């Protein structure tokens, strides 16, 4: 589901970039860096997270997808100096084979890591995105996630300011349960923030 105007403005703002640097530090503390890795990024937005994955996590290459063509254009501009290391595609996180078909990405067991910076809660059938994460990760590959839970989405600020799917949202516990059902082992490598509103963690593909 696409973001509304208010969320688009916020996601493209300096405070979001500051927050995303903080999230990247938490994820690194929980799951380490990804030097030399081939990575898929779900819902890359304006590409700031893609740049962090390349420059801070040390990935060799990122295949990034977003539903919104305007965000893909922004990401292309942001990553213009990373030619050959970032492939940006318009498509859905629920069908990575189609999104990355032109670069041979999105096949079973292609990636060393998958990143989700605050996007799966935008997907109505969010379990299908986890199907894809589990399918495209190599055994031992890592899933880095930073999610907005049903607890946050029920708050008046979220209800008034933003548009999200209204049904079947997940709590932190439900998301963690679904990871383990998909063979994504998170163990103790997860944290919540602000009373369960936000969930960050790193799971390993069994
Ligand atoms: C809250 S923004 C997060 C953007 C960026 N990852 C960040 O952390 O700033 C959610 C993004 O997910 C994208 N999105 C929503 N549904 C999607 C889907 N099914 N597949 C891929 N991207 C999707 C939106 O277009 C938007 O860019």
């Amino acid at each position: 589901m696409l973001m509304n105007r208010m969320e688009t403005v916020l996601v493209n703002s300096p405070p979001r970039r500051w927050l995303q640097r903080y999230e990247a530090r938490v994820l690194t503390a929980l799951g380490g860096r990804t030097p030399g890795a081939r990575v898929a990024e779900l819902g890359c937005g304006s590409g700031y997270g893609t740049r962090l994955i390349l420059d801070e996590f040390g990935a060799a290459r990122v295949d990034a997808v977003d539903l919104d063509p305007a965000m893909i254009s922004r990401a292309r501009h942001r990553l213009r100096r990373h030619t050959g290391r970032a492939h940006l595609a318009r498509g859905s996180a629920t069908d990575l084979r189609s999104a990355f078909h032109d670069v041979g990405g999105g096949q079973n067991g292609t990636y060393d890591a998958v990143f989700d910076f605050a996007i799966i809660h935008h997907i109505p059938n969010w379990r299908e995105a986890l199907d894809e994460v589990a399918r495209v990760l190599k055994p031992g590959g890592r899933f880095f996630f930073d999610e907005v839970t049903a607890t946050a989405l029920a708050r008046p600020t979220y209800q008034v300011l933003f548009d999200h799917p209204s049904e079947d949202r997940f709590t932190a516990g439900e998301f963690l349960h679904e990871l383990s059902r998909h063979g994504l082992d998170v163990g103790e490598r997860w944290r919540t923030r602000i009373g369960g509103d936000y969930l960050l963690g790193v799971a390993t593909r069994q």
Side-chain angles (χ1 to χ4, degrees), residues 105-187:
Q107 305 302 318
N108 295 358
T110 314
Y111 297 102
D112 303 296
V114 174
F115 279 73
D116 152 30
F117 280 113
I119 172 246
I120 288 183
H121 67 284
H122 269 273
I123 303 182
N125 45 357
W126 58 276
R127 292 176 187 82
E128 283 183 21
L130 293 184
D131 290 342
E132 282 296 81
V133 171
R135 185 182 67 73
V136 301
L137 272 176
K138 295 175 181 171
R142 283 167 290 166
F143 175 44
F144 293 76
F145 55 91
D146 148 39
E147 268 307 330
V148 181
T149 69
T151 319
L153 297 176
R155 296 203 188 280
T157 38
Y158 271 88
Q159 293 279 316
V160 170
L161 295 179
F162 309 130
D163 290 338
H164 291 96
S166 55
E167 297 187 356
D168 189 29
R169 298 304 82 197
F170 48 80
T171 61
E174 285 162 351
F175 194 80
L176 294 171
H177 174 75
E178 203 62 24
L179 290 180
S180 89
R181 221 177 57 76
H182 281 81
L184 296 162
D185 176 29
V186 70

Side-chain angles (χ1 to χ4, degrees), residues 50-56 58-62 79 82 85-86:
T50 320
R51 209 166 73 187
L52 290 174
I53 296 166
L54 291 167
D55 294 347
E56 305 299 329
R61 180 198 160 95
V62 181
L79 292 154
H82 291 75
R85 294 180 64 206

Side-chain angles (χ1 to χ4, degrees), residues 40-112:
E41 185 192 7
L42 314 180
C44 61
S46 68
Y48 191 72
T50 320
R51 209 166 73 187
L52 290 174
I53 296 166
L54 291 167
D55 294 347
E56 305 299 329
F57 285 86
R61 180 198 160 95
V62 181
D63 293 344
V65 64
D66 200 285
L67 203 55
D68 186 344
M71 295 304 256
I72 289 293
S73 297
R74 282 176 184 269
R76 275 196 218 297
H77 181 69
R78 171 160 283 130
L79 292 154
R80 63 196 179 283
R81 294 198 183 86
H82 291 75
T83 323
R85 294 180 64 206
H87 172 70
L88 301 161
R90 198 244 148 213
S92 176
T94 55
D95 185 2
L96 298 179
R97 229 185 234 113
S98 299
F100 300 141
H101 71 99
D102 50 339
V103 288
Q107 305 302 318
N108 295 358
T110 314
Y111 297 102
D112 303 296

